[in-house]
């Protein structure tokens, strides 16, 4: 096989390519998480319109006349630069790995596409004066970048190409756990995003009138109930996967994060949504999404060669020779 040594092990060049892909994917994952936090900081400090122009802050000036609001908004934009570089680096290295790794290539294609889409949405949030629908889409696409980076990183840690498979080599319990966790967490986060879009933290200052969504109480109810369902599913997953140490350890970490998150959610709801607690709540939410993405990859991804259906045995001729 090309790119393999005489004993079938990956050549040093292949191993080096995987190491580079793994490091770049991890860098992208860290930057995706970081930009979520800086974006939330922009919203909670009312700095969303601190820079009235895009991509510069005000005209050709990097920082406008609004003081720290402009600085916070522009710092968030600057964080987008290393985030994009990390995504591009992950893509470059993924396409250079030999033998060809389509699992890494597809993961980074989604990653770069989502990053570019989010840059466009970031500009659109300024032009649309923090329209809550655009801001909500901006956050949800950030979650897509995290899952793409998590997939790429997990696959780059394995020497064989991986593929998503829902049958054959994957036990049914793996499929049920992975899809159940992802679906319930998606509803939970979407409910939280809509709750925020209807809440007091619009991203603008007190003098700026920012449109808000209606139906906030319904969004709160959906968000809270989905969160408790998600916690139950994580606890069930921990019990079902107790014999598989690598996955089980990650699920128990996830369970701990969920318990902390629910406590933060209840506290912020009963104390009038203080900014610091909301920031912590979003930070833990992004960590939960990251950890769930990793667990789903562990449960659904399998070596591509092993995922193929076994070939039918040859039909032996019964005709006399």
């Amino acid at each position: 096989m090309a790119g393999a040594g005489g004993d079938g092990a990956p050549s040093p060049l292949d191993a080096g390519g995987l190491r580079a892909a793994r490091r770049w994917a991890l860098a992208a994952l860290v930057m995706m998480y970081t930009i979520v936090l800086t974006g939330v900081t922009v919203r909670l400090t009312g700095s969303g319109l601190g820079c009235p122009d895009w991509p510069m802050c005000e005209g050709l000036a990097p920082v406008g006349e609004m003081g720290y609001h402009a600085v916070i908004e522009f710092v968030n934009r600057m964080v987008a630069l290393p985030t994009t570089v990390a995504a591009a680096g992950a893509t470059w290295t993924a396409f250079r790995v030999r033998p060809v790794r389509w699992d890494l290539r597809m993961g980074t294609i989604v990653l770069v596409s989502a990053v570019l889409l989010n840059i466009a949405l970031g500009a659109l949030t300024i032009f649309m004066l923090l329209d809550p629908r655009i801001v909500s889409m901006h956050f949800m696409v950030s979650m897509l970048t995290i899952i793409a980076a998590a997939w790429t990183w997990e696959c780059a840690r394995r020497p064989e190409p991986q593929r998503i498979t829902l049958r054959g080599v994957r036990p049914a319990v793996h499929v049920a756990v992975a899809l159940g966790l992802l679906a319930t967490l998606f509803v939970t986060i979407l409910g939280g995003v809509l709750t925020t879009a209807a809440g007091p933290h619009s991203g603008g200052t007190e003098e700026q009138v920012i449109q808000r969504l209606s139906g906030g109480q319904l969004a709160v109810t959906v968000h809270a109930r989905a969160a408790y369902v998600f916690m139950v599913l994580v606890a069930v997953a921990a019990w079902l996967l107790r014999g598989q140490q690598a996955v089980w350890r990650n699920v128990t970490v996830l369970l701990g994060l969920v318990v902390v998150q629910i406590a933060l959610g209840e506290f912020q709801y009963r104390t009038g949504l203080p900014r610091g607690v909301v920031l912590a709540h979003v930070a833990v939410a992004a960590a939960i999404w990251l950890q769930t993405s990793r667990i789903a990859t562990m449960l659904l991804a399998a070596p591509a060669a092993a995922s193929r259906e076994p070939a039918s045995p040859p039909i032996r001729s019964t005709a006399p020779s």
Side-chain angles (χ1 to χ4, degrees):
M1 175 185 293
D7 58 354
S11 68
L13 179 61
D14 292 331
L18 274 180
R19 279 197 302 271
R22 184 164 61 246
R23 290 167 181 169
W24 276 105
L26 180 59
L29 188 56
V30 171
M31 290 311 305
M32 301 307 157
Y33 185 82
T34 301
I35 203 168
V36 167
L37 299 187
T38 60
V40 172
T41 301
V42 168
R43 165 170 247 172
L44 294 175
T45 57
S47 305
L49 296 178
C51 291
D53 294 327
W54 192 93
M56 301 304 287
C57 189
E58 189 170 342
L60 297 178
V63 178
E65 300 178 354
M66 295 183 67
Y68 80 97
H69 287 306
V71 172
I72 293 173
E73 164 61 14
F74 200 71
V75 166
N76 179 56
R77 296 186 189 183
M78 290 299 97
V79 173
L81 179 59
T83 301
T84 306
V85 169
T91 305
W92 173 255
T93 52
F95 272 74
R96 289 177 62 85
V97 171
R98 293 293 183 272
V100 172
R101 290 287 299 266
W102 285 105
D103 52 344
L104 302 182
R105 292 187 177 191
M106 295 307 299
T108 53
I109 287 173
V110 173
L111 176 61
V112 168
S113 300
V115 168
L116 295 178
L117 174 59
N118 233 6
I119 291 174
L121 288 172
L124 195 57
T125 59
I126 305 301
F127 300 144
M128 298 294 290
L129 302 178
L130 306 183
D131 185 305
R133 294 164 296 185
I134 304 299
V135 175
S136 298
M137 290 173 58
H138 195 37
F139 185 84
M140 294 305 293
V141 173
S142 295
M143 296 297 100
L144 177 59
T145 64
I146 288 178
I147 195 171
W151 160 267
T152 305
W153 182 50
E154 284 293 337
C155 289
R157 298 173 67 192
R158 309 180 188 191
E160 307 91 1
Q162 306 291 306
R163 60 172 288 188
I164 291 291
T165 177
L166 304 182
R167 59 196 180 102
V169 298
R170 297 289 86 183
V173 66
H174 285 192
V175 177
V177 167
L179 298 185
L181 290 178
L182 286 175
T184 310
L185 182 57
F186 177 82
V187 173
T188 304
I189 290 181
L190 181 60
V193 169
L194 296 179
T195 297
T196 304
H201 299 303
S202 65
T205 63
E206 294 180 357
E207 295 78 18
Q208 296 166 336
V209 178
I210 307 298
Q211 179 186 352
R212 313 305 294 139
L213 291 183
S214 59
Q217 191 54 51
L218 176 60
V220 170
T221 301
V222 171
H223 175 62
R225 292 182 179 176
Y228 281 107
V229 171
F230 182 71
M231 181 177 67
V232 171
L233 288 180
V234 174
V236 170
W239 181 79
L240 290 174
L241 301 171
R242 61 193 183 280
Q244 304 174 49
Q245 286 301 311
V247 182
W248 181 83
R249 283 194 299 269
N250 282 279
V251 173
T252 54
V253 170
L254 177 60
L255 183 58
L257 288 172
V258 173
V259 171
V260 171
Q261 181 72 332
I262 289 178
L264 286 171
E266 290 289 344
F267 181 77
Q268 72 171 8
Y269 180 72
R270 300 177 190 281
T271 55
L273 302 176
R275 287 182 174 86
V277 181
V278 175
L279 177 59
H281 192 58
V282 175
V284 177
I288 288 173
W289 183 253
L290 190 161
Q291 186 70 359
T292 304
S293 301
R294 292 188 61 220
I295 291 168
T297 300
M298 292 177 183
L299 294 175
L300 294 179
S307 301
R308 302 189 186 101
E309 290 295 315
S312 301
I315 300 177
R316 296 181 179 179
S317 173
T318 58
S321 56

